[in-house]
Structures are given as structure tokens and as C-alpha cells.
Amino acid sequence: MRSALSSSVRWWVHAVLLVCCLGAAGQPTDMWLRRTLPLNGDWPVIVDPIDHGSVDYRSRRRDLFAADTRDDGRYGLVEFSWDDEHTLAVPGDWNSQDERLFFYEGAVWYRKVFELGESGWSGDDGERLWLCFGGANRLTTVWVNGEKVGENGVGFTPFSFDVTGAVREGENMVVARVDNRRAFEAVPGEIYDWWNYGGLTRDVWLATSPGVYVSGWRLWLDGGVIRGEVAVAGDGPPGDADAVVEVLVDELGIAERVELVGGRGSFSVPAVGVERWSPERPRLYEVRVVGPGGDVLVDRMGFREIETEGGRVLLNGEPVVLRGVSIHEEAPFGGGRSVGEADARVLLGWAKELGCNFVRLAHYTHNEHTVRLAEELGLMVWAEIPVYWILDFENPATLAEAKAHLDGMIDRDRNRSNIVIWSIGNETGDAPEVTRFRRRLGEHVKRRDPTRLLSAAMFARQVREPWGAGGDGGAIAKRDGSAGERLVKLVVDDPFGEIADVLAINSYIGWYHDRPDEIAGVGVELAWDKPLMLSEFGAGVKQGRRGSADERWTEEYGLSVYGHTLRWAESLPNFAGMSPWTLHDFRSPRRPRYGVQDWYNRKGLISETGEKKLVYGLLAGWYGEMIDTNNNE
């Protein structure tokens, strides 16, 4: 199939940074917007804990399971096989599909056989064929018909490979080796508080594009104008007379012919008649992008502006409080990686019922179904990469991988109007090497996309004084009469706050330290006049476990923590919103307390079986009062 392409002069147009850059052009983006052939379903697998498929008995590298080796029962020794009795569903993780793989971290090989040719997937006339993955955790190597086509090491964003020269008419075979072993120099690192689900965890499909294709496009609202950028790449003569991209939004009367220079172009038009996207009315418009090679992309998106002014967040020029909740990408019932729109509809439905206008998608890029559905439902989004706790912060390769996470997230979701905050990490601390690392990530985000807000979930510095010190002018005694210190103030002065647009802190007063009834006495001091969010707070609660408000793990203890924290939040300076931790219980290998945790982080408002805890109702009532107050203003 390569012959149809090799007759023309090969040229690759690499788009450079624009005002809001599209990144480097090469692989086309928006793969779901193209003609697709789904490859989801049951894939035969081989579990490979000792890397038998990759290394022989002399420690020589090989790709044993990638070859189309078949045992005919007569010649040669073949000590492996692919069969329908050993399969895993794609998309999906292996940990929740097979109890024998519950704790497994290592390599698993996947195989898929598919047919091409009869439905026109031929690659003729310069058509290019792409093998696309919505995401796989983590290091993924892919072969097509025994030919290695590439690998990817970013576990939560899409990737694709040009397989035009590797596929053939008739039967084809894809083999993917996925390895989810942790590494200190990787992103995330070796230690984190969620399950390390391995496998082809998101959709897999084949897509087509012309030889010259739209490699990226973006529209956004900027005051009274709509601005746009487009980029193309591919095979064909540069300077072609057809080097024009059309951008059409029929409902707004937009029909722009964008002339390309060096494979890229930009435009602006008056924003006449634009109804701005908001949680109350999530208006979406159909956009068509027509490339010079006959590439046609059709999508739906909204137009809105998000900015800050002093201590306030402004959506479309009006102050907004982010009534949110944090969410892990975990199936709503019974654990396992969340997959597809059905799971997303349940999770986001719970958030809407809670009274949310905002969700924090932690601690990595969530699947595209979730982000798109949130846009349709009117939920603003905090999108985050897994720079979490401890990494190899002084390693340039680790920084490059973190930037790759950012690029994959921004490239995929740059046209999603509901994403209002890009977050570069969570709870890393503020050591000098960490601050340098995060600053570089923050600067990278601002170069790539200055139309959204920048943040990270930070720690606040604790200021304590001895009990009985009388720092507030009164006689103070610790409840049990013992020696110790009390928390009197949180100071938000993490150096990353200097470039962040929104200050965000994780505060677990009453759970990891101090008592719930001491929350009200804690002051908060900000080093900058910027909006402040409570990006996390909460308490571990076993649904149905009852007891006193002083007894950990009980529903009553959770009510105490939430009740005191919500009242405290009302008094915080520059309070702009919150995303309590978390929507529902999720699996974590750091939570082995049998009978209570059972390998689940119990800070969810809802149990892993879908049962709402008492704190869900308390928070829903508080959000409801906020909505009523705003509606009456």
C-alpha cells in the first residue's frame, strides 16, 4: 500500500508555536472525527511476568509473541499460543477482569486479528491508515503483521501510529505489549494513592486520513472576536494551490478560508450572535474543518471566556464559585478502570445531582468520553497530569515525560469549552528542585494555552503554637490536658503560587491531623491576591458504619469533618470554590485495613457499590443553598 504514496515528494510540515499553539504537526489529532473501524472487543492475551516474550534465555532482545507463529503440530517447537479461553475485554484493565491479576504489575501481550479491503480500507489514492489508542497503561509497544510500528510511554493520553505500509488487504494482526511496572523516573512515579490499572484501558480503532490532512485546529472566544488556528501535514508538494483550510460554523455565519503559510494559518472574525457556554446553558455549535487534501472534520464545541480578577474567578465576565467534587477514573460499581460513555454518565450524573457546576478530574488525564459528556452537561473541568507526590524531579527525561502528558492532554482537549483549569500536579511539596520542575511545567502550559487558568493542588504551610500559650489572648488548654501544639494558621505561600492563576490547597484538618471541631479556629493567609480553592478535603467513611461523631470511619465522623469544613470555607479569603475528596470510593493498594478499607480509599461521598453516604446529602444541601443564594441576588 505504500506504493501509492511513494510517487510524490514526501514533506512533513511541522507547525510552530502560534499565539495559542497547536503543537508540532505530524500525526493527525481528533481521530474519532475521522472514518473509523473499531477494534474493541475480546483480545486474546499472554501474561508475561518474566519478559519471556522480550528476552531469550541468553538475555538477547526479541519480539517472540509479536510474530505470526503458528503450531501446525508437525514441525518446530512453539511454546505459546493465542486462544479464546484467555482473553481480556478492550477497553478495560486486566486487574479487575481476572482475580489472578488483581495485584499484577508487569507485561501482558494482546492480539487482535481484523480484516481489511472489502469495506474500502485499502490505502489507495494516497489514503493513510492510522492505528489509534485512546490510552494504555503504561509502556505500550505495537506490531502490525509482525512489523514494529511504534511505542508510547504516556499512560493516559491518546496515541496513534501510521500503519499504511504495514497493513494489507485481507487478514491483519495487531499485537500490543503493555507493561504497567512503576518507575521512579516515570510519570507518575513509584508511589501513588490509586490502583495501577494495566492494559488497553481505552478504545482502540483504525482511522483514515488523506495524504495531506488537518493535523490540528482550534477555535476560542477572545472578547468580541472568535480566533482560530489550523495546521496541516502529510505527503504532497508544498505550496500547492489548494493549500487552504475552510472553517465553517453555519449557525454563526462563519465561513473562513484560511490560507496556509508553511502548513499553518490563523484568523479572527467578529463574535456576532455567539451564545456563550455556561453550566446553566451549555451551548454547543457544530464546527466543520475542511482540509486541502479533502480532509473533513466535524465537531461540536462551545465558546466561553475564563479569567481571574483579584480574588475572583470570572466566567464570561461574571463571578463564579466552583461547586465541585474530585473524581477518579474508576468504574462507578465494583472498581476497575472506568470505560466508555455509560460509566461517565453515571459518575457525572452523581455530580450533577450533588449540585456541582465543576469537577476535578484527578490525578491524570481522564478518557475523552468523560470530558465531552461533561461539556454537554454543563460541568466545568479541572484537568490534571500525574505529577504526584515524589518523582525524579532533577531528571530531564522525567520533565520531558511530564510535558508529554501536558501536550497529549492539551492537544486532545484544546476545543473543549468546559475545561477551565490545567493542573500540573498534586501534593509535590515545594523543595527547590520541585519548584523548578513545576515552574517549567507551568510556563509550558502558558505557552501552549494561555486561554485557560493554571493551577496545582498544593500544601499550605502550617503555623502552630503550644497549647496554653495564649496566643489569642485567652487561656488555652488541650482537650486531654497533654502537651502539644495547636494549628492556628495555614499560609498559602508555595512558590508555584507566583505563576498559578488559582491557588489551590489540599486540607485534611480533622482527618490526618487535629480534630474536626478545631477547624473553625484556623486562619488562612494568602501570599498573593488570587482566587483560593479547597482542592481536597474529606474523611474516610465506611458506608453504613454508624457511631459517634468522635469515632473514625463512621458516617457521623464524616458529617463532623464536612460540617466544620464547610462552615470554615465560608470564611476563607478569596474563596472561589472546592472539589472535596472524592465522589466515590476507589481502589488503592495503600489501603489494606480489612473490614473497613479492603483496598479502597474510603473518602468517597458514595461507596464502590453506588450507595450514597450521609456526607453526600450534607454537601448537596450546602451546594443547594449556594445556588439559591446566587439565584436570589
Side-chain angles (χ1 to χ4, degrees):
M1 294 187 181
R2 179 66 68 182
S3 60
L5 301 175
S6 59
S7 60
S8 65
V9 177
R10 178 172 299 277
W11 62 282
W12 289 96
V13 178
H14 297 285
V16 299
L17 296 177
L18 300 172
V19 176
C20 297
C21 77
L22 294 172
Q27 295 182 347
T29 57
D30 304 303
M31 286 299 199
W32 269 125
L33 305 183
R34 304 174 185 277
R35 188 161 66 104
T36 63
L37 176 67
L39 297 180
N40 290 344
D42 292 334
W43 290 42
V45 297
I46 297 175
V47 180
D48 191 12
I50 62 169
D51 288 330
H52 176 60
S54 301
V55 182
D56 72 5
Y57 78 107
R58 303 289 290 180
S59 295
R60 293 171 296 197
R61 300 298 304 176
R62 64 178 180 181
D63 303 325
L64 178 63
F65 302 148
D68 190 10
T69 306
R70 307 189 186 193
D71 188 348
D72 60 9
R74 296 186 300 166
Y75 303 106
L77 176 64
V78 180
E79 295 188 281
F80 69 93
S81 64
W82 303 93
D83 61 70
D84 293 337
E85 294 183 5
H86 298 86
T87 64
L88 289 171
V90 174
D93 63 90
W94 62 60
N95 310 84
S96 64
Q97 294 190 56
D98 188 333
E99 62 181 10
R100 294 170 298 180
L101 301 177
F102 185 63
F103 289 106
Y104 181 68
E105 295 185 345
V108 173
W109 297 69
Y110 290 73
R111 180 176 183 264
K112 182 73 170 181
V113 175
F114 61 94
E115 296 281 335
L116 286 182
E118 295 182 1
S119 60
W121 293 74
S122 62
D124 294 336
D125 301 323
E127 181 182 58
R128 304 178 71 83
L129 305 180
W130 303 84
L131 180 59
C132 310
F133 297 80
N137 192 34
R138 166 184 162 267
L139 179 61
T140 306
T141 310
V142 180
W143 297 261
V144 174
N145 296 324
E147 176 185 339
K148 183 177 177 179
V149 296
E151 63 182 19
N152 177 76
V154 180
F156 300 99
T157 54
F159 57 96
S160 59
F161 305 112
D162 179 359
V163 297
T164 310
V167 297
R168 58 199 176 212
E169 290 190 12
E171 183 179 276
N172 290 267
M173 180 183 71
V174 172
V175 172
R177 178 187 181 275
V178 186
D179 190 335
N180 73 331
R181 278 173 282 202
R182 305 165 188 241
F184 177 55
E185 68 275 9
V187 180
E190 290 182 302
I191 303 174
Y192 43 90
D193 189 19
W194 66 86
W195 209 266
N196 184 23
Y197 291 117
L200 299 177
T201 56
R202 297 181 185 164
D203 300 296
V204 182
W205 68 99
L206 197 71
T208 65
S209 76
V212 179
Y213 51 84
V214 176
S215 59
W217 65 277
R218 175 183 176 141
L219 300 179
W220 73 98
L221 184 64
D222 182 12
V225 300
I226 291 176
R227 301 192 186 278
E229 300 168 349
V230 293
V232 301
D235 296 288
D240 193 334
D242 292 329
V244 171
V245 173
E246 291 184 280
V247 179
L248 304 105
V249 187
D250 292 342
E251 292 175 275
L252 297 175
I254 296 175
E256 284 294 306
R257 288 176 54 83
V258 185
E259 295 186 1
L260 306 179
V261 177
R264 67 184 190 272
S266 61
F267 71 94
S268 63
V269 296
V272 178
V274 175
E275 182 177 350
R276 286 160 170 76
W277 183 96
S278 70
E280 295 74 28
R281 184 166 172 77
R283 181 70 160 89
L284 302 180
Y285 292 90
E286 183 178 279
V287 178
R288 285 180 294 142
V289 180
V290 182
D295 205 10
V296 179
L297 305 177
V298 181
D299 200 359
R300 290 172 57 79
M301 62 172 293
F303 296 96
R304 59 95 191 97
E305 290 182 288
I306 191 76
E307 56 191 333
T308 64
E309 182 181 77
R312 303 186 300 173
V313 174
L314 305 180
L315 177 65
N316 300 321
E318 298 294 330
V320 62
V321 175
L322 306 178
R323 306 185 308 273
V325 68
S326 296
I327 303 179
H328 256 297
E329 191 181 65
E330 182 131 346
F333 306 108
R337 180 65 73 214
S338 170
V339 296
E341 184 178 340
D343 282 349
R345 196 165 291 278
V346 173
L347 295 172
L348 297 179
W350 284 337
K352 289 288 289 184
E353 183 182 346
L354 188 62
C356 293
N357 62 6
F358 168 78
V359 289
R360 178 188 177 205
L361 301 182
H363 289 292
Y364 37 77
T365 304
H366 286 219
N367 69 73
E368 191 166 359
H369 297 288
T370 298
V371 177
R372 285 181 173 272
L373 182 59
E375 184 179 36
E376 295 176 15
L377 295 175
L379 288 166
M380 294 178 284
V381 165
W382 161 310
E384 187 166 290
I385 63 169
V387 173
Y388 184 95
W389 286 357
I390 301 298
L391 301 178
D392 192 357
F393 288 110
E394 296 186 274
N395 188 335
T398 304
L399 177 62
E401 185 172 332
K403 288 181 177 180
H405 277 270
L406 284 171
D407 288 337
M409 180 171 68
I410 292 171
D411 287 342
R412 191 194 73 181
D413 295 333
R414 62 185 176 274
N415 286 313
R416 301 281 68 80
S417 53
N418 60 326
I419 295 184
V420 296
I421 295 175
W422 296 128
S423 167
I424 56 86
N426 178 83
E427 293 185 353
T428 59
D430 59 358
E433 67 276 12
V434 176
T435 295
R436 287 192 297 270
F437 188 96
R438 292 180 303 160
R439 178 176 287 274
R440 289 169 183 166
L441 292 181
E443 292 168 348
H444 186 70
V445 170
K446 286 181 177 288
R447 284 193 300 269
R448 288 296 319 270
D449 183 15
T451 70
R452 292 178 171 89
L453 307 179
L454 172 68
S455 192
M458 302 179 290
F459 290 122
R461 180 164 54 88
Q462 296 184 6
V463 177
R464 293 180 173 272
E465 67 178 23
W467 286 94
D472 59 357
I476 305 170
K478 193 174 180 182
R479 185 181 299 273
D480 61 5
S482 63
E485 296 180 327
R486 66 166 186 158
L487 178 63
V488 295
K489 185 166 60 175
L490 296 177
V491 180
V492 184
D493 59 358
D494 184 314
F496 182 75
E498 182 179 354
I499 67 169
D501 298 303
V502 175
L503 307 175
I505 59 171
N506 294 351
S507 175
Y508 283 99
I509 308 173
W511 182 249
Y512 289 119
H513 58 87
D514 301 281
R515 297 175 51 87
D517 57 6
E518 295 166 0
I519 296 175
V522 178
V524 174
E525 178 183 317
L526 307 181
W528 303 274
D529 182 25
K530 296 182 178 183
L532 173 67
M533 287 188 59
L534 288 181
S535 40
E536 289 183 28
F537 68 87
V541 172
K542 173 74 169 176
Q543 191 275 327
R545 188 182 182 108
R546 307 304 296 268
S548 71
D550 292 328
E551 186 179 351
R552 284 185 182 272
W553 308 111
T554 65
E555 300 247 20
E556 286 74 14
Y557 193 94
L559 288 174
S560 178
V561 170
Y562 265 79
H564 286 95
T565 303
L566 293 176
R567 288 190 290 273
W568 177 64
E570 294 174 344
S571 68
L572 294 179
N574 295 356
F575 177 67
M578 61 172 57
S579 51
W581 194 256
T582 181
L583 180 65
H584 71 317
D585 291 349
F586 61 94
R587 280 180 176 156
S588 169
R590 301 180 63 81
R591 312 292 170 165
R593 181 167 177 168
Y594 295 113
V596 178
Q597 293 172 310
D598 299 312
W599 306 109
Y600 278 94
N601 186 312
R602 293 295 181 193
K603 296 187 186 70
L605 301 169
I606 302 172
S607 75
E608 76 279 11
T609 58
E611 300 294 325
K612 294 183 175 66
K613 303 177 187 179
L614 296 180
V615 289
Y616 182 97
L618 176 63
L619 183 60
W622 195 71
Y623 280 165
E625 291 178 5
M626 292 179 66
I627 296 171
D628 291 340
T629 299
N630 291 334
N631 288 339
N632 292 330
E633 288 180 352

XYZ file of all heavy atoms in Angstrom, residues 4 10 64 119 139 188 244 282 301 413 417 493 521 531 541 564 601:
125
model
N 1.380 3.792 -3.465
C 0.557 4.926 -3.862
C 1.061 6.221 -3.258
O 0.752 7.312 -3.742
C -0.895 4.684 -3.457
N 7.920 13.427 -0.506
C 7.478 13.435 0.891
C 7.844 14.758 1.554
O 8.950 15.225 1.428
C 8.148 12.284 1.650
C 7.787 12.242 3.146
C 8.332 10.986 3.777
N 7.767 9.808 3.149
C 6.572 9.294 3.488
N 5.868 9.875 4.418
N 6.127 8.231 2.894
N 9.134 -12.237 20.524
C 8.638 -13.584 20.278
C 7.144 -13.614 19.992
O 6.699 -14.220 19.013
C 8.961 -14.478 21.476
C 8.457 -15.927 21.395
C 9.123 -16.656 20.240
C 8.712 -16.656 22.717
N -14.396 -3.290 2.729
C -15.159 -2.076 3.033
C -14.457 -0.814 2.553
O -14.816 0.288 2.936
C -15.402 -1.984 4.543
O -14.168 -1.947 5.237
N 3.613 1.518 29.404
C 4.519 1.444 28.259
C 3.938 0.458 27.251
O 3.793 -0.731 27.540
C 5.909 1.002 28.701
C 6.958 0.864 27.588
C 7.175 2.208 26.894
C 8.270 0.343 28.157
N 3.250 8.828 36.338
C 3.611 9.016 37.743
C 4.811 8.156 38.131
O 5.243 7.301 37.363
C 2.353 8.578 38.486
C 1.733 7.549 37.583
C 1.992 8.048 36.188
N -5.354 25.571 1.407
C -6.313 26.405 2.133
C -7.156 25.484 2.998
O -7.518 24.377 2.584
C -7.217 27.197 1.167
C -8.355 27.882 1.926
C -6.413 28.213 0.379
N -25.247 25.052 28.528
C -24.024 24.591 27.841
C -24.215 24.538 26.322
O -24.317 23.477 25.720
C -23.807 23.199 28.436
C -25.172 22.738 28.828
C -25.918 23.967 29.263
N -18.629 22.232 19.765
C -17.877 22.890 20.825
C -18.619 24.147 21.262
O -19.529 24.626 20.580
C -16.480 23.260 20.345
C -16.444 24.246 19.198
S -14.772 24.851 18.810
C -14.414 25.802 20.303
N -7.853 18.027 24.049
C -8.999 18.735 24.625
C -8.958 20.240 24.410
O -9.691 20.976 25.071
C -9.078 18.443 26.130
C -9.360 16.977 26.418
O -9.976 16.309 25.559
O -8.942 16.489 27.483
N -14.772 23.515 25.624
C -15.033 24.782 26.304
C -15.160 24.631 27.809
O -14.994 25.598 28.552
C -16.319 25.405 25.747
O -17.388 24.471 25.802
N 1.775 29.971 50.598
C 2.912 30.692 50.016
C 3.829 29.759 49.231
O 5.007 30.056 49.027
C 3.700 31.425 51.097
C 4.257 30.501 52.171
O 4.005 29.275 52.103
O 4.962 30.993 53.077
N -11.108 27.444 64.144
C -10.131 28.364 64.705
C -8.884 28.555 63.864
O -7.953 29.240 64.293
N -7.569 33.955 43.510
C -8.636 33.069 43.979
C -8.060 31.866 44.710
O -7.005 31.337 44.347
C -9.340 32.644 42.681
C -8.993 33.692 41.689
C -7.611 34.158 42.051
N -14.804 7.184 55.350
C -16.089 6.761 55.916
C -16.492 5.439 55.278
O -16.560 5.333 54.047
C -17.189 7.813 55.661
C -18.552 7.291 56.080
C -16.871 9.112 56.385
N -17.891 21.008 59.785
C -16.953 22.036 60.236
C -16.186 22.648 59.068
O -15.940 23.863 59.042
C -15.969 21.452 61.255
C -16.562 21.203 62.604
N -17.058 19.982 62.997
C -16.763 22.030 63.662
C -17.523 20.057 64.232
N -17.348 21.293 64.665
N -9.833 3.414 49.072
C -9.799 4.703 49.739
C -11.248 5.072 50.036
O -12.054 5.207 49.105
C -9.138 5.755 48.839
C -8.938 7.084 49.541
O -9.845 7.612 50.169
N -7.744 7.643 49.409
